[in-house]
Amino acid sequence: MAFDAVIEVRSVSKRFGGLQAVSNCSLEVERGSITGLIGPNGAGKSTLFNMVAGNFAPTSGQIIFDGQDITGLKPHELFKLGMLRTFQIAHEFSQMTALENLMMVPGDQPGESLSTLWFKPGKAAAREAEVRSKALDVIDFLKLGHVKNELAGNLSGGQKKLLELGRTMMVDAKIVLLDEVAAGVNKTLLNDLAANIERMNKELGYTFFVIEHDMDLIARLCDPVIVMAQGEVIAKGNMEELRANPMIVEAYFGGPVEAVR
């Protein structure tokens, strides 16, 4: 079967003044995979991730998403194309319930238009019922039924991460970018979170691109794993292969990139 890339990073570089954060970097994320991106602090992985997510524009190079050149597009434009991102710190609407948070996600709802509410109230009500039904399905999938009517601001860190994962299920996401999903999550809820990511991937066909410091989580979820150091991609493989490679370990502890090559 031919390799089907949903994300292609082509010779991308990013410079901040005199700092070369990413240098001539290329990688691919295969459709249907859970692909990890790791590297030591200062490796450039967060900068690269932010360029894919639309937060930074590359200094040079191209980013292709589902066959379309998205270089320089903003996050809200990528959202409409089917690229969603979760954050290290969850971005919930704290004064709305968990269920209401999910119902806020789909765009262009008829109820957002005053004229539709006035002249086509049935259309707005039908769409709201459809969105609510989907949100309840997501709540059930994530096993969050016991907190669906709880204000999102009162949820635990792990529950907020699950809710944020649920928001990606409210639209037809072609890829979900997971940014430090383990941060601030206790081990029990982290196991639930990982299990749901696996289910979304295997049962629903979601593609994930993951940046993460928790190597045990990366080892559980990701294959392949891409390694960056000093602004460049230096290796790709499963976690078992990478852990057995002394040159990768050396790179993590400050060894020269030349040694890895």
Side-chain angles (χ1 to χ4, degrees):
M1 183 180 294
F3 189 93
D4 182 13
V6 67
I7 292 286
E8 299 174 69
V9 174
R10 300 177 178 173
S11 302
V12 162
S13 296
K14 181 64 178 179
R15 178 177 290 276
F16 297 98
L19 173 65
Q20 186 75 42
V22 175
S23 179
N24 195 36
C25 187
S26 296
L27 59 83
E28 294 179 331
V29 177
E30 184 174 11
R31 195 181 310 275
S33 72
I34 305 179
T35 298
L37 180 65
I38 66 172
N41 290 334
K45 60 187 185 298
S46 293
T47 300
L48 179 65
F49 204 75
N50 277 311
M51 285 190 286
V52 172
N55 298 100
F56 300 150
T59 303
S60 61
Q62 280 185 305
I63 300 173
I64 308 298
F65 173 45
D66 203 27
Q68 177 178 341
D69 190 340
I70 60 164
T71 311
L73 292 188
K74 301 299 183 184
H76 70 276
E77 296 172 307
L78 297 177
F79 175 88
K80 291 179 179 178
L81 294 176
M83 182 187 296
L84 280 74
R85 178 181 185 175
T86 70
F87 290 87
Q88 181 174 353
I89 300 174
H91 289 59
E92 77 283 352
F93 297 102
S94 61
Q95 295 304 307
M96 301 177 72
T97 67
L99 182 62
E100 289 168 341
N101 265 260
L102 295 182
M103 292 179 67
M104 285 288 292
V105 176
D108 301 322
Q109 297 187 49
E112 296 173 355
S113 167
L114 192 58
S115 63
T116 302
L117 282 173
W118 281 352
F119 300 113
K120 297 180 181 179
K123 181 179 179 180
R127 176 58 175 153
E128 181 176 353
E130 179 185 334
V131 171
R132 180 182 177 85
S133 177
K134 184 165 186 176
L136 287 170
D137 286 344
V138 170
I139 288 280
D140 287 343
F141 184 92
L142 296 174
K143 298 180 174 61
L144 286 174
H146 59 296
V147 296
K148 69 180 179 183
N149 295 318
E150 183 68 56
L151 293 181
N154 295 337
L155 301 182
S156 70
Q159 290 169 335
K160 289 178 181 180
K161 290 290 180 73
L162 280 170
L163 183 64
E164 190 151 294
L165 191 63
R167 293 207 302 232
T168 72
M169 299 176 66
M170 291 298 298
V171 294
D172 295 325
K174 295 177 182 175
I175 189 168
V176 178
L177 308 182
L178 297 179
D179 186 355
E180 298 289 353
V181 71
V185 181
N186 67 48
K187 288 188 176 181
T188 300
L189 276 175
L190 183 57
N191 185 63
D192 291 344
L193 194 59
N196 279 299
I197 292 167
E198 290 170 332
R199 288 178 64 208
M200 288 172 67
N201 174 250
K202 293 174 183 175
E203 297 176 20
L204 305 178
Y206 275 71
T207 302
F208 291 94
F209 189 29
V210 185
I211 184 172
E212 181 57 63
H213 281 97
D214 187 320
M215 292 299 100
D216 289 335
L217 184 64
I218 285 283
R220 170 176 174 171
L221 293 178
C222 300
D223 187 6
V225 179
I226 298 167
V227 186
M228 288 187 69
Q230 297 182 21
E232 302 177 28
V233 171
I234 61 171
K236 178 180 178 180
N238 63 46
M239 202 60 188
E240 185 177 353
E241 294 168 342
L242 297 176
R243 279 175 165 163
N245 187 334
M247 292 183 291
I248 300 301
V249 176
E250 183 181 10
Y252 260 90
F253 288 94
V257 174
E258 288 73 14
V260 180
R261 293 174 178 154

